[in-house]
Amino acid sequence: MFVLGIDPGLSRCGYCVLRVQARQKAEAVALGVLATPPSEPTARRLGMILTDIEALLEEFRPQAVALERVLFQVNVRTAMSVGQASGIVMASAARHGCEVVEYSPNQVKQVVGGYGSADKAQMQEMVRRILGFEVAPQPADAADAAAVALCHVAYQGPLATLAAGSAAQ
């Protein structure tokens, strides 16, 4: 089974494809960032993200796509563009028959980092440890996408009850 984790963004959209095996062991088979040039119009940039997401969906055929939920930020313009990118990913995943699930940043931090207020460096280190990387994934958007995918795996696996309980706190 494959899970595609997404940290949505218009300039940088982090992604991670996990292969989930028996006993919820996860292996990263693809990890990176889909980048779009700020000089391009928003519609063209969203089209680029759509093309790249469709390619990931076609190549890996994930059963689920997990996204970090867009929360209102101080910068409304940034929140809007992140929401647009998120919508593109959700629509494409739904069209491909994938389960689409959103997790709040605090849920992801609690489940993967063990602490709902973990910072980016702590999350990168936990992703490194869990997935067995020699170095922490860079950039942070890719690590965030991996954390979202790992959060989904935790919610679906034998520890799902524990994960749901800790996320409710």
Side-chain angles (χ1 to χ4, degrees), residues 53-106:
I53 290 295
E54 297 254 327
L56 287 169
L57 293 170
E58 300 268 335
E59 181 177 354
F60 294 102
R61 304 218 179 269
Q63 285 70 33
V65 174
L67 295 97
E68 185 169 282
R69 183 177 299 131
V70 178
L71 298 177
F72 186 80
Q73 301 167 346
V74 174
N75 185 337
V76 175
R77 188 171 179 187
T78 300
M80 289 292 290
S81 64
V82 171
Q84 290 170 323
S86 183
I88 290 289
V89 172
M90 286 191 276
S92 183
R95 202 172 83 203
H96 279 80
C98 301
E99 173 188 14
V100 178
V101 184
E102 294 181 274
Y103 297 100
S104 73
N106 284 351

Side-chain angles (χ1 to χ4, degrees), residues 143-165:
D144 290 348
V148 172
L150 287 166
C151 179
H152 182 71
V153 170
Y155 271 96
Q156 301 307 306
L159 301 177
T161 305
L162 176 62

Side-chain angles (χ1 to χ4, degrees), residues 1 3 16-29 127 129-133 146 149-151 153-154:
M1 168 174 120
V3 173
C16 177
V17 179
L18 295 182
R19 177 184 298 131
V20 183
Q21 300 168 348
R23 298 188 178 191
Q24 300 309 106
K25 182 180 179 199
E27 170 192 12
V29 294
V127 167
R129 288 180 186 186
I130 293 168
L131 293 176
F133 295 144
L150 287 166
C151 179
V153 170

